[in-house]
Amino acid sequence: MPHNPLPTLDDVARAAGVSTATVSRCLNKSGKVTEETRARVMKVVTDLGYTPNFSARALAAKRTFTIGAIVPTMANDIFARGLQAFQEVLNANGYTLLVSSTAYNPDREAEQVRTLIARGADGLLLIGYERDPSVYDLIEARGLPFVLSWAHRDTAPQPAIGFNNVDAMYDMARAVLDLGHRKIAVIAGVSKGNDRAADRVAGIHRAMADTGLDPTTAPVIETPYGFDTGAAVFAELMAAPNRPTAVICINDVLAAGALMQAQKMGLKVPDDVSITGFDDIELARLVTPNLATVHVPHREMGRLAAEDLIRRIETGEHGERSPLPSTLRLRASLGPPSSTS
Amino acid sequence: MPHNPLPTLDDVARAAGVSTATVSRCLNKSGKVTEETRARVMKVVTDLGYTPNFSARALAAKRTFTIGAIVPTMANDIFARGLQAFQEVLNANGYTLLVSSTAYNPDREAEQVRTLIARGADGLLLIGYERDPSVYDLIEARGLPFVLSWAHRDTAPQPAIGFNNVDAMYDMARAVLDLGHRKIAVIAGVSKGNDRAADRVAGIHRAMADTGLDPTTAPVIETPYGFDTGAAVFAELMAAPNRPTAVICINDVLAAGALMQAQKMGLKVPDDVSITGFDDIELARLVTPNLATVHVPHREMGRLAAEDLIRRIETGEHGERSPLPSTLRLRASLGPPSSTS
DNA sequence: ACGATGAATGAAAGCGCTTGCATTAGGGAA
DNA sequence: TTCCCTAATGCAAGCGCTTTCATTCATCGT
């Protein structure tokens, strides 16, 4: 491994006949430099192909221009999309993205936060609210700017760029109920450590209560994320004595699995049973019948989260925090209950 | 922003009554420390909640335990999956992942590489072979370990953990041809700067030549990645006078778009026209009919790439480089050409 | 019992950059 | 012309860690 050393600030300073302080000032646009010297220095910089060493810069300036994101997993379209947008904005502003994932394991998050702090991240992106309080302590003790995303609760103290999962799912449940469905079942995600999943179920319950139904009558089955698990739970649900006429799924992937299983079982959707999802990933428009779901602006969310976080880092102030809108996409997988069922 | 300073090596050293050198040695398991002092130091470390400052460590040791990945975009399932696996292995080995994306714009890659080098990445993950030679120069001048992925060419000098796109697509094209199809059309990705896309088309051409067909007779339409573009190209293709009996798509997303469009046009798949994809993302088993495609082990690939890269960084040596296997998944969207067409 | 031997530890020199403070030079006011 | 003020620049002290080299000390051979 030949280590052909990159030129350093000293090299540039010497070649330009100025001090390292001046070169540094040129590079950091901190004013206080004649246009003439700046030009001379910049020429040397490009001639030498100089690139500042970030580690050194970070050590001296206590700024890394690095932002950490901790997501459950990138292999989930909704996070991948949001993260991509997040990264684009970061890059456009001179920041670099450090990614870790928890595989939905809350315990790993604290560890990841520690690592990112040690690495000197200038800011943090976290998903949702629910986490060990010690994690928040860690971040706040350090005065580290952060923003939550993929969720939004009006009452929560933490800054969040996201949507209200309760309300969003309430709307969908309401739509289902308004069509006349009374026998509802829910395929839920694992709610432990996942407030988004929990909130969505809460939204369904609220809609039922508002419609005069007893929320406890609807079976709610939690299952890990995935098609196959969605399919399995659906099969179980439909094998039970008192079949639901509508199955509300906590996300599109689970719903797609359910849809696939329905087909396999020879059930017509929505005639025999309605199925709804959440997220409106592209898949929703590809399955047959098209999936009724809740549209969430993931890219937009990632973009806004990045902008908010950068603002927070650079100016200390923060933007508005009103929740992002989610909108119903009522597609063919949702219909009125059949009169015979 | 209250900056509650994290404890430093000095703090630990003082509290443990040893020198910073000793603490450093304990932390880096470099032997040369009595079990007794190590225990004492470690206790102080946990008591104080000490975490080393990576910037300082990087500056002093010229190691960052950071690995950079430059992908076209994370918002593409195949990269997201691979990257997730890549990141998991990295994390398990004490490395952190720095992500940038190029949005399939080759020009941006050189810039990203520079940034990652300046940030002191210990290694790099790049997608495919095709890039400006200056990028390779940059990396090699620095002696920076790297590995390519998502592609594999036996003749290429660069280390790669991937599969052979030509062969993989050859197999699929062969399967299509062997069913009797003679009028074939290709929905391709943009091949400029994307050797995976180009190689796949090459595979199709080779299969045609091997079957005694003139490769130039098959229309190849390039289009950016996406459903809607896939649908649009498909519509165009089927509107032409001499309709193909089989449309081979360069990836599953394009194929899914084509499938959707076929449905919209009232065409039966595969009776009226066969459609095939590539990648075998989950969507392939969700659309109706299920998509015939080429299965590629993306997660496995990400995992292996990470392991190879780490080995390369830590020991200088490299593992084997035989291509990963891809396998045909011949599903319902592919059938023999109808006799009437 | 004494010097030789080697293992554990400490002292200190950076790594490449930023930044507070000192210094210099140039320009305007008196 | 002299003096003061300001803007540009340089000096040098770190930032927190690793690592080389020197030092210390206990152990062993003779």
Side-chain angles (χ1 to χ4, degrees), chain B residues 9 21 24 28 50 57 60:
Chain B
L9 241 209
S24 174
N28 294 297
Y50 169 78
R57 193 208 281 270

Side-chain angles (χ1 to χ4, degrees), chain B residues 10-313:
Chain B
D10 264 311
D11 298 330
V12 177
R14 208 166 309 125
V18 297
S19 72
T20 61
T22 301
V23 178
S24 174
R25 280 190 276 256
C26 288
L27 261 31
N28 294 297
K29 356 200 148 294
S30 50
K32 306 294 184 191
V33 188
T34 321
E35 197 44 58
E36 183 203 332
T37 40
R38 147 164 289 132
R40 183 154 39 99
V41 168
M42 287 322 231
K43 173 154 174 24
V44 175
V45 165
T46 53
D47 284 359
L48 260 52
Y50 169 78
T51 337
N53 174 321
F54 275 79
S55 301
R57 193 208 281 270
L59 185 58
K62 301 178 178 324
R63 280 292 301 283
T64 58
F65 285 95
T66 283
I67 284 179
I70 303 179
V71 299
T73 170
M74 285 176 270
N76 178 153
D77 212 58
I78 67 167
F79 294 126
R81 264 170 217 290
L83 220 47
Q84 174 63 31
F86 187 77
Q87 191 266 341
E88 283 167 14
V89 175
L90 253 40
N91 240 251
N93 286 274
Y95 288 82
T96 301
L97 210 213
L98 225 32
V99 187
S100 343
S101 62
T102 63
Y104 289 100
N105 177 349
D107 297 337
R108 299 199 49 194
E109 200 176 43
E111 180 195 325
Q112 315 268 31
V113 169
R114 278 196 112 64
T115 303
L116 292 178
I117 289 180
R119 289 200 119 89
D122 291 338
L124 246 40
L125 173 74
L126 300 173
I127 306 301
Y129 289 95
E130 195 174 332
R131 51 180 51 83
D132 197 280
S134 70
V135 175
Y136 284 125
D137 291 347
L138 205 59
I139 298 173
E140 271 155 8
R142 194 78 194 104
L144 190 61
F146 73 100
V147 52
L148 308 184
S149 198
W150 271 261
H152 187 104
R153 287 170 171 172
D154 295 326
T155 58
Q158 298 88 353
I161 302 291
F163 52 92
N164 188 313
N165 283 281
V166 178
D167 292 349
M169 192 50 122
Y170 176 90
D171 292 344
M172 175 56 91
R174 223 22 221 268
V176 171
L177 292 165
D178 288 352
L179 277 171
H181 289 279
R182 285 301 173 266
K183 290 192 287 184
I184 295 197
V186 180
I187 302 185
V190 176
S191 61
K192 179 167 179 308
N194 183 337
D195 46 273
R196 285 88 63 212
D199 279 4
R200 292 181 197 173
V201 172
I204 298 172
H205 284 165
R206 210 172 72 195
M208 290 180 75
D210 282 4
T211 313
L213 298 178
D214 176 1
T216 63
T217 59
V220 175
I221 305 195
E222 294 196 356
T223 179
Y225 178 85
F227 284 129
D228 301 318
T229 59
V233 171
F234 181 82
E236 180 185 332
L237 242 23
M238 300 311 282
N242 197 15
R243 277 190 175 183
T245 61
V247 175
I248 298 182
C249 304
I250 228 67
N251 65 46
D252 285 349
V253 171
L254 252 18
L259 215 50
M260 197 168 68
Q261 180 65 25
Q263 212 164 297
K264 201 169 288 174
M265 294 170 77
L267 293 169
K268 292 279 233 186
V269 177
D271 300 335
D272 297 328
V273 58
S274 282
I275 295 178
T276 69
F278 193 111
D279 284 339
D280 196 25
I281 59 180
E282 288 192 316
L283 177 159
R285 290 189 302 133
L286 281 176
V287 291
T288 315
N290 281 187
L291 193 60
T293 188
V294 181
H295 177 80
V296 175
H298 293 291
R299 281 192 57 84
E300 174 84 353
M301 192 163 61
R303 230 196 55 223
L304 290 174
E307 285 169 359
D308 188 75
L309 191 49
I310 291 174
R311 187 180 319 119
R312 214 171 274 276
I313 291 170

Side-chain angles (χ1 to χ4, degrees), chain A residues 12-281:
Chain A
V12 176
R14 209 167 308 125
V18 298
S19 72
T20 60
T22 301
V23 178
S24 173
R25 282 190 274 258
C26 287
L27 262 31
N28 294 297
K29 354 200 150 293
S30 49
K32 307 294 185 191
V33 188
T34 321
E35 198 44 58
E36 182 203 332
T37 39
R38 147 165 288 135
R40 183 154 39 96
V41 168
M42 285 323 228
K43 173 156 174 25
V44 175
V45 165
T46 54
D47 284 358
L48 259 51
Y50 169 78
T51 338
N53 175 320
F54 274 79
S55 302
R57 193 208 282 268
L59 185 57
K62 301 179 178 325
R63 281 291 301 280
T64 59
F65 286 95
T66 284
I67 285 180
I70 303 178
V71 298
T73 171
M74 286 176 267
N76 179 151
D77 213 58
I78 65 166
F79 295 125
R81 265 170 216 290
L83 220 47
Q84 174 63 31
F86 187 75
Q87 192 266 341
E88 284 167 13
V89 175
L90 251 41
N91 240 252
N93 287 274
Y95 288 82
T96 301
L97 209 214
L98 224 34
V99 187
S100 343
S101 62
T102 63
Y104 290 99
N105 177 349
D107 296 337
R108 299 198 49 193
E109 200 175 45
E111 181 195 323
Q112 314 268 33
V113 169
R114 280 196 110 65
T115 303
L116 292 178
I117 289 180
R119 289 201 120 90
D122 291 339
L124 247 39
L125 173 74
L126 300 173
I127 307 301
Y129 289 95
E130 195 175 332
R131 50 182 51 83
D132 198 280
S134 70
V135 174
Y136 285 125
D137 291 346
L138 206 58
I139 298 174
E140 272 155 7
R142 194 78 193 104
L144 189 62
F146 72 100
V147 52
L148 308 184
S149 197
W150 270 263
H152 188 103
R153 286 172 172 170
D154 295 324
T155 57
Q158 298 90 352
I161 302 291
F163 52 92
N164 188 315
N165 283 283
V166 178
D167 292 348
M169 192 49 123
Y170 176 90
D171 292 343
M172 175 56 90
R174 220 25 220 265
V176 171
L177 293 165
D178 287 352
L179 277 172
H181 288 281
R182 285 301 173 267
K183 289 191 290 185
I184 295 197
V186 180
I187 302 186
V190 176
S191 61
K192 179 167 179 308
N194 183 336
D195 45 275
R196 285 88 63 212
D199 279 4
R200 292 181 197 173
V201 172
I204 299 172
H205 283 165
R206 210 173 71 195
M208 290 179 74
D210 283 4
T211 315
L213 297 178
D214 176 3
T216 63
T217 59
V220 174
I221 305 197
E222 294 197 357
T223 179
Y225 179 83
F227 286 129
D228 301 318
T229 58
V233 170
F234 181 82
E236 180 186 331
L237 242 23
M238 300 310 283
N242 197 14
R243 279 189 174 183
T245 61
V247 175
I248 298 181
C249 304
I250 231 64
N251 65 46
D252 285 350
V253 171
L254 252 18
L259 216 49
M260 195 168 70
Q261 181 64 26
Q263 212 163 296
K264 199 169 289 173
M265 293 169 78
L267 293 170
K268 294 279 235 186
V269 176
D271 301 333
D272 297 329
V273 59
S274 282
I275 295 179
T276 67
F278 194 111
D279 285 337
D280 195 25
I281 59 179

